[in-house]
Amino acid sequence: MEQTGSRTEREAPRGPVAAGGGEPGARAVPLDAARGLHMAVLGGLLASDLLLVNGSLLFGFWMRLFSPWAPPTPPWISLGTDHLVVMALDSVVVVHLFRVAGLYRREVYSQVLHQAWLILRAVSLGMLLLLAVSYVSKRNVFMERRSILAVAWATLCLGEILLRCVAASHLLRHPRWRRRAVIVGAGERGQFLAEELASDLRSGFDVVGFLDDAVPEGTRIGGIPVLGGVASAGEAVARQGAREAFVTLEGLPRAEMLALIDRLRARGLGVRILGDFFDTITGKVQVETVRNLPLVPIRERRVGLLDRLAKRGLDLALAVPALVLASPLLALAAALIRLGSPGPVLYRQERLGRCGRPFRIYKLRTMYEGAPDEGYRRYMTEVVRGSAPPQPDGRGGLVHKPVGDARVTPVGRWLRRWSLDELPQLLNVLRGEMSLVGPRPPLAFEVEVYDAWHRRRLEVLPGITGLWQVSGRTRTGFEPMVLLDIYYIENWSLGMDLAILLRTLPAILSGVGGH
């Protein structure tokens, strides 16, 4: 790993960084106490947001219609049941928009300008939705005068920004709110980040140690101890009460970076990466700053219930008609398989699905019945381990799959070239074992030789098609395939699924990578 700079020492803590809480004997804030404060802050913010949303609407209504400087109000305008219903609905909508924007995440509280932008965007969207509902329903609730919503918008934005600025100024200095952190990499970048975190109280972090395989454990750098290497410092990190890790290493390949992130996450640490790593990260980039230093937080993508229902709905809406339309083609393929070689039409094979659960996948049989698979297993094990050289495909390209496999029938070769053997997997989609789009389901022997970060492919339902298939299929090596799968998992959206489905047919018709 990264070598340290000239400030390495073996003496008592000194310098500005020592104030960051790096003393080994320092007492960590109990996790339950920190969580209790966080929940109390969340509750207070939620209650304040509800009051501000309703108060801003009422203030806009009063200011425009009933204040001393407002023009005379027609007698038919008054606050009624419709207004109360709209206030309740608007409260739910705005709070949901705040949650989606990340305004209840503790990391946002120290980012004043970013937080203000998120508030402006969420409140504006909430008001636009209120306008749309009013227009569609033909009921002018809070629209008796057009300026009512303008006053409410300005009041709510100003109130939310002031509320969060005041809350942040107190919270970020509270010892229970501050989080203990370790820095991975004790070189110049790591030392510089430690000094910046110690100098900026608004960061909310106290650095308690470095992790670096190249520096002896116990060495002090700017007053902060080296707790050990990345792989061996688990107990020391837990003893220090660290809950965050900042990665400052340079030049790591993408696979090693992902493996490092997984190791840190496995210890319960939140992970942030110091600049210049955007090409190594597969998730969406959301930059935080500490004294103008760019930090990329690595967050797990959480797909909500509504997202899962939408994806399942898309699967069913497309799989049923696709199966009906493909029936004549399946019947023709079945007849050809029967004529070509003895054996069943359908081939059933055990694969691993979401969370490693086994299931039976359906395919059209493309091999001779009873063909041995020992050679295939050996080759694919080497592919996963990265030791198998790619094979020439006979068309000027290289593929990561056995070429000229004698087990494949002539009909099977044709079916595989155009991916027609995959059509029966629409049945797996209807059974809920697969999705139309997702990582390809692996075989059990492949998973046995996975590295830890490879297993992230198993976090979602496997799919018939995916980024791998539309990016060259077997011409894409195993490690790039896993990176594509992780990118899909971290950036999933219904729009991405539709885009992949639209790109799948051209990829199949091109025949590139089909074996």
Side-chain angles (χ1 to χ4, degrees):
M1 284 191 181
E2 202 176 356
Q3 297 294 325
T4 59
S6 59
R7 284 173 283 184
T8 304
E9 55 194 69
R10 288 183 177 275
E11 30 183 283
R14 71 168 185 260
V17 181
E23 190 63 40
R27 184 170 176 268
V29 174
L31 191 57
D32 289 342
R35 283 177 178 164
L37 177 61
H38 187 209
M39 293 307 294
V41 170
L42 272 180
L45 277 178
L46 185 59
S48 301
D49 290 342
L50 292 173
L51 286 173
L52 280 170
V53 171
N54 290 293
S56 64
L57 287 172
L58 291 174
F59 178 73
F61 190 81
W62 173 82
M63 172 71 75
R64 185 62 185 84
L65 297 174
F66 299 102
S67 64
W69 47 86
T73 303
W76 51 268
I77 296 181
S78 62
L79 197 66
T81 306
D82 287 351
H83 293 83
L84 299 178
V85 171
V86 168
M87 286 166 59
L89 291 175
D90 198 46
S91 297
V92 173
V93 168
V94 171
V95 167
H96 175 69
L97 290 173
F98 280 9
R99 185 189 67 81
V100 171
L103 283 165
Y104 296 118
R105 288 202 318 265
R106 60 181 297 160
E107 294 89 351
V108 177
Y109 301 152
S110 61
Q111 310 287 322
V112 177
L113 292 178
H114 180 57
Q115 191 174 204
W117 162 245
L118 293 177
I119 289 169
L120 289 171
R121 192 174 65 180
V123 172
S124 299
L125 182 56
M127 293 300 176
L128 285 174
L129 289 173
L130 186 56
L131 276 170
V133 169
S134 177
Y135 176 79
V136 171
S137 65
K138 306 297 183 184
R139 303 178 74 87
N140 291 326
V141 181
F142 287 111
M143 289 288 293
E144 293 86 354
R145 295 288 185 271
R146 294 180 182 179
S147 55
I148 291 177
L149 284 188
V151 174
W153 176 85
T155 304
L156 183 54
C157 289
L158 183 61
E160 289 288 353
I161 292 170
L162 289 175
L163 168 70
R164 280 170 161 73
C165 285
V166 171
S169 65
H170 289 84
L171 279 175
L172 295 174
R173 289 168 174 79
H174 197 292
R176 286 189 180 180
W177 189 259
R178 299 183 65 78
R179 284 165 292 173
R180 295 189 147 219
V182 293
I183 294 178
V184 182
E188 290 185 3
R189 286 162 60 90
Q191 295 171 33
F192 183 66
L193 177 61
E195 292 176 355
E196 293 299 302
L197 289 172
S199 302
D200 185 5
L201 290 177
R202 294 186 62 84
S203 72
F205 295 104
D206 292 326
V207 179
V208 297
F210 290 104
L211 301 181
D212 199 315
D213 293 333
V215 183
E217 182 178 348
T219 303
R220 287 188 171 277
I221 302 171
I224 299 178
V226 175
L227 303 177
V230 176
S232 61
E235 290 184 11
V237 169
R239 191 166 56 251
Q240 292 293 326
R243 285 177 283 159
E244 302 289 333
F246 293 89
V247 179
T248 64
L249 302 173
E250 288 187 284
L252 279 185
R254 288 179 295 179
E256 291 184 30
M257 177 63 74
L258 289 169
L260 172 61
I261 290 169
D262 283 343
R263 285 202 300 273
L264 295 170
R265 278 177 167 175
R267 296 200 182 98
L269 295 172
V271 181
R272 286 169 172 76
I273 296 179
L274 176 62
D276 300 332
F277 285 99
F278 300 113
D279 60 332
T280 69
I281 303 305
T282 57
K284 290 181 177 176
V285 176
Q286 294 179 330
V287 180
E288 298 174 359
T289 57
V290 172
R291 294 173 73 91
N292 295 321
L293 288 177
L295 296 167
V296 182
I298 308 301
R299 300 189 180 97
E300 293 186 48
R301 170 67 190 248
R302 291 182 173 87
V303 179
L305 176 61
L306 291 178
D307 289 331
R308 291 197 298 270
L309 290 174
K311 184 172 175 64
R312 181 61 178 156
L314 179 67
D315 285 342
L316 294 175
L318 296 181
V320 172
L323 198 55
V324 173
L325 293 172
S327 296
L329 195 56
L330 285 169
L332 175 62
L336 292 174
I337 291 169
R338 284 287 193 185
L339 292 172
S341 62
V345 171
L346 280 182
Y347 173 66
R348 298 171 180 84
Q349 185 182 51
E350 186 172 281
R351 297 286 184 109
L352 299 185
R354 186 175 179 228
C355 301
R357 286 192 290 268
F359 72 98
R360 292 274 179 183
I361 196 173
Y362 299 107
K363 302 181 77 171
L364 292 175
R365 182 176 60 84
T366 58
M367 294 185 180
Y368 293 105
E369 179 109 27
D373 65 349
E374 289 81 8
Y376 175 81
R377 283 173 173 259
R378 281 195 302 271
Y379 180 79
M380 291 309 297
T381 298
E382 291 175 1
V383 167
V384 173
R385 287 175 171 162
S387 58
Q391 306 290 311
D393 64 358
R395 298 195 295 272
L398 297 173
V399 296
H400 298 264
K401 202 92 167 179
V403 177
D405 194 338
R407 302 174 303 158
V408 181
T409 67
V411 173
R413 211 173 307 279
W414 179 78
L415 292 173
R416 286 187 173 197
R417 178 174 174 81
W418 306 107
S419 299
L420 298 177
D421 58 320
E422 313 284 358
L423 285 175
Q425 288 163 40
L426 291 169
L427 296 172
N428 293 111
V429 174
L430 295 179
R431 288 161 60 97
E433 297 161 334
M434 293 179 64
S435 175
L436 289 175
V437 182
R440 287 299 292 161
L443 292 156
F445 77 85
E446 295 173 345
V447 176
E448 287 174 4
V449 293
Y450 273 10
D451 290 338
W453 69 277
H454 295 159
R455 293 178 179 270
R456 293 204 58 196
R457 302 183 67 236
L458 305 177
E459 292 180 3
V460 297
L461 281 177
I464 298 177
T465 185
L467 280 178
W468 173 69
Q469 285 85 343
V470 300
S471 303
R473 295 194 275 177
T474 54
R475 287 192 174 187
T476 305
F478 177 74
E479 203 164 87
M481 179 193 73
V482 177
L483 290 171
L484 287 171
D485 289 338
I486 294 175
Y487 179 87
Y488 170 78
I489 292 168
E490 301 244 350
N491 295 275
W492 175 85
S493 68
L494 214 57
M496 178 180 281
D497 274 6
L498 290 170
I500 291 172
L501 289 169
L502 289 173
R503 290 174 59 191
T504 297
L505 186 59
I508 291 173
L509 293 177
S510 71
V512 175
H515 283 274

